[in-house]
Amino acid sequence: MDENITSVLSEKRTFSPSNDFVKQANLNKAEYERLILKAKTDFEGFWTELAEKNIFWFKKWEKVLEWNEPFSKWFIGGKTNISYNCLDRHLEKKSDKKALIWIGENGEKREITYKELFNEVCRFSNALLKLGVKESDCVVIYMPLIPEAVISMLACTRIGAVHSVVFGGFSKEALADRINDSKAKVVITADGGYRRGQVVPLKLNVDEALQRCSSVEKVIIVQRTKNKIEIKPERDLWYHELTADSSLENKAKELDSEHPLFILYTSGTTGKPKGILHTTAGYLLWTTVTTKWVFDIKDSDVYWCTADIGWVTGHSYVVYGPLSSGATSLIYEGAPNYPDWGRFWEIIQENKINIFYTAPTAIRAFMKAGVEWIKKYDLSSLRLLGSVGEPINPEAWMWYHENIGRKKCPIVDTWWQTETGGILISPLPGITVTKPGSATFPLPGIFAEVVNQDGNPVPPEQGGFLVIKKPWTSMLRTVYGDDERYRQTYWKRIKGAYFAGDGAKKDSDGYFCLLGRVDDVIKVSGHLLSTMEVESSLVSHPFVAEAAVVGYPHDIKGEALCAFVVLKTVEALHAAPLLAEELKNHVAKEIGPIAKPDQIRFTESLPKTRSGKIMRRLLRDIASGKQTTGDTTTLEDISVIEKLRENEL
Ligand code: WT7
């Protein structure tokens, strides 16, 4: 935050939606303009209208919004259920429509209709109830991307339990921390999951994690890989046995609008991950509405968002948004390059995917793999493309547009966060003239602005902080169990506005361009990592005295991690090359492979200010091979920098 954000990019190319797309779009220009105006002149009326049109309510609300900065309550007095909205309400018209198409890594396929999904969710809801899971109890879901993962989420929300999905690529340590923070009673997992032909031992990780967790009473295991696992009879239950005699009759609970829906952990600047808490009605409303507006979902569409359910994109735009809209959502268990780089395009061809939503890091990897993988397949079913997770550089945008979209598909570059619950800034595909590298404009109802430290708007083309000035329905309600951290993290830095750490600029046409994170949270392959977390993991190694981790630009990952490490003894340095590998693996084991540093550099000391704060800006320059720029006068010992530069191991 102590650095100015400078923006150097200036994009002149623009792309208008085709007439054909415009004609059929869910949202047209006149309606868009009406909505923008309505949100400005009658804020609560705007949300009322959306909530009446898009959601099934058991009971209507009495009050739209109670705003007590930074705490919001929406649709107070209303009763609804997200599982009901995703399933029951479609049964009359769509019971035979495919809700999910699942592709396993080994090529297996399961197609599940709305009626079948409803049955499975009811069956599993009853099983959870029988185990004694109650409203507001927390259930951790640690699974591969298989239909049972989606069924588990919907069953939890059906009975009012709060799910906390932990990404299956996370280590047992990360899992244990998350279980302990949420005090989960039940863990749903699988014997294993497939990843590039290997079995990920999920159940084994759960067993080891639970040695550190006392809250968990039951573990439910889906049989997926049939690898050998240990069963603890008093604690462990097979999913298929548990549900075998379960009834299909289950009435969705009528839950308060503000009933807690899920917790999802995201990285913060301090070691401990933050449990982002979302609640029922507001989240449901915005994920439903944005699916309709941004993805232009039609009844005939087959939609594929490539995210895992362990991330918020998987929650909002694999499960809840699409199912609440009655769409067909495809899920794929495996890696994009398994068995080869043609896998995604083959899935698109075979399933006639119409809408495809993925991340810039994947797009860059496909660019590198080469267009010959794409040319083999027929992608003519595609009509809309999306991108999420980090800024998409104009070069990748153009590549996506030309090679995947065949210059015909609008691209929606959607900006949002775990905290925002749903998309806040994005093109509307039938309306917006897009520019590569820009997420374009805030959606109706979203009051975003680019401001300086004092909260005042900055002039066009100048970098500043991206803030949201009014509450929205799918905003996080708090950091689970820590209201003060919620206030400090998001509402203290810029007065009167929500700030979650991104720099941005508006260009001279008012287009929003995202400039990346401004604090010590960085994005590697589209996933947020806290440099603090990686540092504390390094310091937990017996040889390490101190560590500072920074990001540097990387062609495919977007950013990669460089760790500057001070060892406890000089002797340890003799083993440096081996030790570097050992430390990398140590982090991978403690946090998960995505957090593994790309470079380890040993140093005698770290550059610090006189008050003892590590000057990461300088380390970032070194890691990215740049000259040190900017002020170094607060540095305690300038020679540290010289030594670091000499010492390139
Ligand atoms: C951070 C949130 C949102 C779902 C996946 C990530 C970055 C996200 C964009 C975009 C530029 C983007 C931001 C944001 N980000 N989308 N279209 N353009 N940056 O959720 O892990 O909570 O990460 O991702 O830095 O703050 P998340």
Side-chain angles (χ1 to χ4, degrees), residues 147-159:
E148 285 76 8
V150 179
I151 293 166
S152 299
M153 291 166 79
L154 290 164
C156 286
T157 54
R158 191 170 185 84
I159 64 172

Side-chain angles (χ1 to χ4, degrees), residues 50-66:
L50 290 183
E52 281 169 349
K53 270 196 201 153
N54 293 283
I55 300 300
F56 169 85
W57 297 89
F58 293 113
K59 177 172 170 283
K60 204 185 152 173
W61 61 93
E62 281 133 30
K63 194 168 176 214
V64 182
L65 170 65
E66 202 178 280

Side-chain angles (χ1 to χ4, degrees), residues 148-218:
E148 285 76 8
V150 179
I151 293 166
S152 299
M153 291 166 79
L154 290 164
C156 286
T157 54
R158 191 170 185 84
I159 64 172
V162 180
H163 62 64
S164 163
V165 182
V166 178
F167 174 53
F170 276 142
S171 67
K172 57 179 192 284
E173 280 80 10
L175 173 64
D177 288 345
R178 284 156 177 75
I179 292 173
N180 284 333
D181 189 73
S182 63
K183 298 175 202 68
K185 263 173 82 170
V186 172
V187 176
I188 309 171
T189 188
D191 46 0
Y194 289 109
R195 194 71 186 170
R196 297 200 172 87
Q198 305 281 316
V199 172
V200 184
L202 294 169
K203 170 61 164 62
L204 183 67
N205 288 351
V206 171
D207 288 343
E208 292 181 357
L210 291 191
Q211 291 173 3
R212 290 217 275 124
C213 308
S214 56
S215 59
V216 175
E217 294 163 13
K218 296 284 173 204

Side-chain angles (χ1 to χ4, degrees), residues 267-272 520-522 528-535 549 561 591:
S267 295
T269 45
T270 65
K272 204 172 151 224
D520 296 326
V521 182
I522 62 176
L528 272 187
L529 293 175
S530 132
T531 53
M532 283 290 299
E533 253 183 302
V534 183
E535 286 161 8
V549 172
L561 293 175
I591 306 180

Side-chain angles (χ1 to χ4, degrees), residues 605-621:
S605 53
L606 295 168
K608 288 187 185 165
T609 62
R610 276 156 234 263
S611 61
K613 223 174 138 214
I614 296 171
M615 291 185 77
R616 290 157 199 286
R617 170 166 56 90
L618 302 178
L619 294 175
R620 272 195 291 270
D621 287 344

Side-chain angles (χ1 to χ4, degrees), residues 1 5 67 69-70 449-458 463-469 486-503 518:
M1 273 293 261
I5 302 167
W67 178 228
E69 189 194 306
E449 194 48 87
V450 181
V451 301
N452 62 19
Q453 297 266 16
D454 306 324
N456 298 318
V458 298
F465 305 108
L466 178 66
V467 296
I468 315 294
K469 301 187 108 164
Y486 168 59
R487 195 193 296 272
Q488 290 293 340
T489 315
Y490 304 103
W491 296 91
K492 272 275 140 85
R493 279 159 126 184
I494 311 279
K495 209 168 160 282
Y498 167 84
F499 173 59
D502 281 349
V518 300

Side-chain angles (χ1 to χ4, degrees), residues 313 389-391 413-418 502 514 517 523 528:
T313 313
E390 57 186 311
D413 172 3
T414 62
W415 178 88
W416 58 295
Q417 310 175 299
T418 306
D502 281 349
L514 276 299
R517 310 283 308 174
K523 277 248 149 167
L528 272 187

